[in-house]
Amino acid sequence: MKILILGAGKMGSFFLDLLSFDHETAVFEKDPKRMRFTYNCQRLTALDEVREFAPELVINAVTVKYTIPAFKEVLPYLPKDCIISDISSVKTNLKEYYDSTGFRYVSTHPMFGPTFANLNQLHEENAIIISEGDYMGRIFFKDLYQRLGLNIYEYTFEEHDRTVAYSLSIPFVSTFVFAAVMKHQDAPGTTFKRHMRIAKGVLNEDDYLLQEILFNPYTSDQVAQIRDELKELLDIIDNKDADRMKQYLTKIRDNVRRDIEITKN
């Protein structure tokens, strides 16, 4: 298959490395310097080169802010039977845009990302395939993600956004709060150092991505739950209520234990 990757960033380069030995691949990137470490693929910097390459599948791997603008730019140069796809972690407005293009499409979300995951060992990581896309496109990505050993889930666009609001907004907001109140420690403990590593990783993400995840219409309810839990915990601390603290610790340990049991099954 002839596959065009839009963007030579971390995820774009990852997909190029992954696909270039089994498919004819090309990358479209306006900044030639970003393609210095790409290999075994065609390097395209002009839209006329996209037309000449005539891809059968396009994987849009640019940052989330430019996902739709990148599609708008290349669509006039694609064959009409080309399948277009994205790997964005934020799907807001994508379904409406896809439906307006007339192109076959598939949308997925490899949830490992480049920040924390070991891209060479992904069997504990997850991927979402949107069920509303082109059947053959979904089959292609399902086969690809299965070969990587990823755990695959199929959701609608709405179900995806609800899932992301829970799985990303809660740890992101918790990290923001930690970073907002933290002070330098000359002799930090192990837990503090671990939280600091997480904070550095999250804050290295693109500002627009962080914004869009938090502006997800389903995020507010999740953040409200954090606020309510903090209010309860603060009341326990202010009153030095040992019995309530024990009950609270039991509750959160049960939550963690149930999650571990569900994951094992």
Side-chain angles (χ1 to χ4, degrees), residues 35-195:
M35 296 190 286
R36 286 177 297 178
F37 304 110
T38 60
Y39 63 97
N40 200 34
C41 67
Q42 296 185 42
R43 303 175 184 183
L44 313 181
T45 57
L47 290 167
D48 285 338
E49 295 174 310
V50 171
R51 190 196 306 277
E52 184 178 346
F53 181 67
E56 300 166 78
L57 171 68
V58 171
I59 301 176
N60 190 335
V62 303
T63 57
V64 65
K65 182 178 182 178
Y66 299 107
T67 299
I68 291 179
F71 275 139
K72 289 182 176 179
E73 187 173 30
V74 302
L75 254 57
Y77 299 86
L78 300 178
K80 291 301 181 183
D81 60 349
C82 179
I83 300 174
I84 58 176
S85 71
D86 74 277
I87 56 171
S88 175
S89 55
V90 178
K91 306 295 186 186
T92 306
N93 299 323
L94 268 175
K95 185 180 189 303
E96 294 77 10
Y97 174 73
Y98 277 134
D99 289 341
S100 74
T101 65
F103 280 82
R104 299 155 63 199
Y105 69 85
V106 58
S107 184
T108 75
H109 180 186
M111 297 186 72
F112 45 89
T115 302
F116 296 114
N118 179 355
L119 297 182
N120 296 314
Q121 191 173 5
L122 296 171
H123 64 277
E124 293 184 354
E125 305 294 343
N126 303 315
I128 294 173
I129 297 176
I130 301 300
S131 59
E132 296 164 88
D134 178 79
Y135 175 75
M136 293 307 298
R138 298 201 312 270
I139 292 298
F140 174 85
F141 279 98
K142 186 173 184 179
D143 177 67
L144 178 65
Y145 292 155
Q146 282 178 334
R147 286 193 283 117
L148 290 173
L150 294 169
N151 302 298
I152 301 170
Y153 301 89
E154 291 199 25
Y155 296 145
T156 64
F157 279 103
E158 181 180 357
E159 289 168 340
H160 169 272
D161 286 350
R162 288 184 181 276
T163 298
V164 167
Y166 172 75
S167 65
L168 293 183
S169 65
I170 287 180
F172 278 20
V173 169
S174 301
T175 298
F176 289 176
V177 172
F178 167 78
V181 301
M182 60 153 287
K183 295 182 292 186
H184 172 72
Q185 298 288 310
D186 290 328
T190 300
T191 303
F192 185 93
K193 288 189 288 186
R194 288 178 177 173
H195 277 284

Side-chain angles (χ1 to χ4, degrees), residues 1-2 13 33 49 84 104 114 138 151 194 205 227 232 235 243:
M1 181 183 289
K2 297 181 73 173
S13 298
K33 293 180 180 179
E49 295 174 310
I84 58 176
R104 299 155 63 199
R138 298 201 312 270
N151 302 298
R194 288 178 177 173
E205 294 283 6
R227 179 194 59 203
E232 179 181 358
D235 187 64
D243 290 337

Side-chain angles (χ1 to χ4, degrees), residues 2-53:
K2 297 181 73 173
I3 300 175
L4 173 66
I5 309 292
L6 302 183
K10 291 180 180 178
M11 289 304 290
S13 298
F14 170 75
F15 274 90
L16 278 171
D17 292 346
L18 185 64
L19 297 167
S20 62
F21 290 99
D22 297 315
H23 302 275
E24 185 179 351
T25 57
V27 56
F28 177 66
E29 172 61 65
K30 293 181 178 179
D31 182 359
K33 293 180 180 179
R34 301 191 74 186
M35 296 190 286
R36 286 177 297 178
F37 304 110
T38 60
Y39 63 97
N40 200 34
C41 67
Q42 296 185 42
R43 303 175 184 183
L44 313 181
T45 57
L47 290 167
D48 285 338
E49 295 174 310
V50 171
R51 190 196 306 277
E52 184 178 346
F53 181 67

